[in-house]
Amino acid sequence: MIAAMASSAFAENWSRFRGPNGSGISESTSVPMSWLPGESLRWAVDMPGPGGSSPIVFGDRVFVTCFTGFGANPESPGTPADLVRHLLCYNRKDGQLVWKSSVASTHEEDPFTGFITQHGYASSTPVTDGIHVYVAFGKTGVLAFDFDGKEIWRRELGTKSDPAQWGDGASPVLHGDLLIMNAGITDHAVVALNKLTGEVVWRVEDQDFTNGWSTPIIVNVQGREELVCACPGRIFALEPKSGEELWRAKSPISDAVCASLTHQDGVVFLMGGRQGSAVAIRCGGSGDVSATHTVWEKPLRSGIGTPVISDGRLYWTSTGLAICADCKTGDEVFKERLKKPNDEPGQGGGRGPTGDYASAVAVAGKILVVSRTGHSQFWDAVDKYSPIADNQFADDTGPFNGTPAVVDDEIFIRSDKRLYCLGG
């Protein structure tokens, strides 16, 4: 009933990290291309603290997480005992805060040094089924809230750390009655919980799962559902109801897996690593399929963001570059320095969006990318780099780490300071 009421006035939802099944693809046919106050900026609200998670949207609600206390002020981080994470619920129409649920940290998180200073302690994106909202809050665990902000249950999923102590970041995934979590950082495991009770249904443990922040996806291959996951050196598929391994394949990304998987026509794609590697694996096999199901392996430069697929091509950004590759072959279609559309040739390479934390989104035949400094750019989804619109929030330079949510004719973007709603 709650889900039906919440959705009645809206055609779409963006209920998890990167939207429908983690694809990063919106069904919207029209979105604003220019983000000016009084024109397309419908509302902007200050949030109580920073966060690297992405907003999600269900019906008339927008959910996002942030943190306060430890690490919220980089110049004066404070002490780990002061860390509090928050799940925020906003009214989609006007940005008014509907409720805030705050959760104090129950275990000391990784120190606020090095890489963790870039994304903080609220980097996992929530997921919702329209009745409950689920969040992963590091070593405090996974929690479920109802649509009024009441905590329903919580389940601790380990208190380990990756070797570099970079913190957590993978997002929970819903499948049927299960809430599935890549807990490779805190628990060296992939875990499925009963979404109503939080009880463990199955758990697959492997020491190699550490250094993996990738969010799993569900792939349907000839009627068989596969939960496809990634960890350093490996891509593997589990039967989602039981956790039984279906197949595994070698991956060239052997150090740290930050990006999530994406897929098309039964083939999954993964890229990343310090050396810049990418691989495509055909799903549907059994056992070790490295020799039989590897479609291609290429030295494609990438970083933290996940590529998006449009019309048979992968699009993404990395260290100031706009990159596109062919899904069938892995061959680069283009790789060019990001620039504003009105820049003269050879100029402005460093002035456009240069970050790759947020993942690209495909909408209405265009690719939307957002940099850490808040520059956004739309490209035509074609076989050449074709920027057609560039925007910047005037008084907010970020960081912007979250991937945009695009539903109906609206775009939702979060920075460490604010949550924005843009509409046509």
Side-chain angles (χ1 to χ4, degrees), residues 1 6 17 20 41 64 75-77 103 108 129 138 194 211-212 214 234 244 251 286 289 326 336 344 360 424:
M1 176 64 71
F17 175 59
L41 181 58
V64 70
E75 297 180 359
S76 180
V103 179
E108 185 171 322
D129 57 5
N194 182 306
N211 273 18
S214 181
R234 191 192 326 167
E244 177 186 359
S251 165
S286 178
V289 301
D326 184 90
E336 295 191 33
E344 293 297 325

Side-chain angles (χ1 to χ4, degrees), residues 50-241:
S53 62
S54 305
I56 63 169
V57 182
F58 196 97
D60 61 358
R61 305 289 180 91
V62 183
F63 302 96
V64 70
T65 63
C66 69
F67 68 98
T68 55
F70 181 54
N73 180 358
E75 297 180 359
S76 180
T79 60
D82 295 331
L83 177 62
V84 179
R85 296 179 178 90
H86 310 274
L87 173 61
L88 310 171
C89 175
Y90 292 97
N91 186 303
R92 178 174 171 180
K93 294 181 180 179
D94 57 16
Q96 292 295 309
L97 182 66
V98 180
W99 51 258
K100 176 179 72 172
S101 292
S102 302
V103 179
S105 181
T106 57
H107 295 277
E108 185 171 322
E109 295 287 351
D110 295 337
F112 191 73
T113 59
F115 191 74
I116 205 167
T117 64
Q118 302 300 302
H119 66 93
Y121 299 103
S123 300
S124 175
T125 298
V127 64
T128 183
D129 57 5
I131 299 174
H132 295 114
V133 186
Y134 304 88
V135 294
F137 282 163
K139 298 176 185 180
T140 296
V142 176
L143 298 88
F145 296 86
D146 66 18
F147 262 43
D148 293 321
K150 178 185 176 182
E151 182 179 324
I152 304 301
W153 57 256
R154 68 171 68 187
R155 173 66 58 178
E156 187 177 294
L157 294 181
T159 58
K160 299 180 177 69
S161 298
D162 65 284
Q165 294 188 307
W166 286 350
D168 66 297
S171 300
V173 173
L174 284 167
H175 181 68
D177 293 332
L178 298 178
L179 180 76
I180 301 171
M181 185 71 199
N182 170 13
I185 300 301
T186 60
D187 198 31
H188 297 170
V190 178
V191 183
L193 307 175
N194 182 306
K195 73 174 186 178
L196 298 179
T197 67
E199 295 298 316
V200 176
V201 177
W202 56 258
R203 179 176 179 272
V204 178
E205 181 178 0
D206 193 313
Q207 296 301 308
D208 291 341
F209 289 173
T210 192
N211 273 18
W213 293 265
S214 181
T215 298
I217 58 173
I218 299 290
V219 180
N220 191 304
V221 183
Q222 296 180 346
R224 185 177 83 172
E225 292 183 321
E226 302 181 352
L227 174 72
V228 188
C229 311
C231 67
R234 191 192 326 167
I235 297 174
F236 58 100
L238 305 175
E239 203 289 317
K241 293 182 179 179

Side-chain angles (χ1 to χ4, degrees), residues 124-397:
S124 175
T125 298
V127 64
T128 183
D129 57 5
I131 299 174
H132 295 114
V133 186
Y134 304 88
V135 294
F137 282 163
K139 298 176 185 180
T140 296
V142 176
L143 298 88
F145 296 86
D146 66 18
F147 262 43
D148 293 321
K150 178 185 176 182
E151 182 179 324
I152 304 301
W153 57 256
R154 68 171 68 187
R155 173 66 58 178
E156 187 177 294
L157 294 181
T159 58
K160 299 180 177 69
S161 298
D162 65 284
Q165 294 188 307
W166 286 350
D168 66 297
S171 300
V173 173
L174 284 167
H175 181 68
D177 293 332
L178 298 178
L179 180 76
I180 301 171
M181 185 71 199
N182 170 13
I185 300 301
T186 60
D187 198 31
H188 297 170
V190 178
V191 183
L193 307 175
N194 182 306
K195 73 174 186 178
L196 298 179
T197 67
E199 295 298 316
V200 176
V201 177
W202 56 258
R203 179 176 179 272
V204 178
E205 181 178 0
D206 193 313
Q207 296 301 308
D208 291 341
F209 289 173
T210 192
N211 273 18
W213 293 265
S214 181
T215 298
I217 58 173
I218 299 290
V219 180
N220 191 304
V221 183
Q222 296 180 346
R224 185 177 83 172
E225 292 183 321
E226 302 181 352
L227 174 72
V228 188
C229 311
C231 67
R234 191 192 326 167
I235 297 174
F236 58 100
L238 305 175
E239 203 289 317
K241 293 182 179 179
S242 67
E244 177 186 359
E245 183 178 274
L246 300 173
W247 57 262
R248 62 190 178 279
K250 294 179 181 178
S251 165
I253 307 167
S254 59
D255 42 21
V257 180
C258 298
S260 296
L261 293 147
T262 188
H263 76 98
Q264 179 175 268
D265 298 331
V267 176
V268 292
F269 305 88
L270 182 68
M271 55 182 61
R274 293 185 181 92
Q275 304 303 316
S277 302
V279 64
I281 304 292
R282 183 176 297 106
C283 299
S286 178
D288 188 340
V289 301
S290 303
T292 57
H293 285 58
T294 300
V295 179
W296 51 256
E297 183 179 316
K298 297 284 184 176
L300 295 173
R301 184 174 181 176
S302 62
I304 294 172
T306 302
V308 68
I309 295 175
S310 180
D311 197 22
R313 293 181 288 263
L314 294 150
Y315 296 88
W316 72 100
T317 60
S318 179
T319 59
L321 297 172
I323 311 175
C324 174
D326 184 90
C327 285
K328 291 184 178 180
T329 65
D331 293 337
E332 280 187 0
V333 177
F334 64 73
K335 180 170 66 177
E336 295 191 33
R337 182 64 55 184
L338 284 157
K339 60 182 182 296
K340 293 183 179 180
N342 58 356
D343 284 336
E344 293 297 325
Q347 298 180 6
R351 293 181 358 203
T354 58
D356 60 355
Y357 267 60
S359 300
V361 172
V363 53
K366 299 173 179 61
I367 308 299
L368 169 62
V369 296
V370 178
S371 79
R372 296 198 74 211
T373 60
H375 281 101
S376 67
Q377 198 167 85
F378 282 96
W379 314 338
D380 270 327
V382 293
D383 59 2
K384 63 179 181 179
Y385 174 51
S386 56
I388 55 177
D390 187 275
N391 294 284
Q392 174 79 57
F393 295 107
D395 60 345
D396 190 351
T397 58

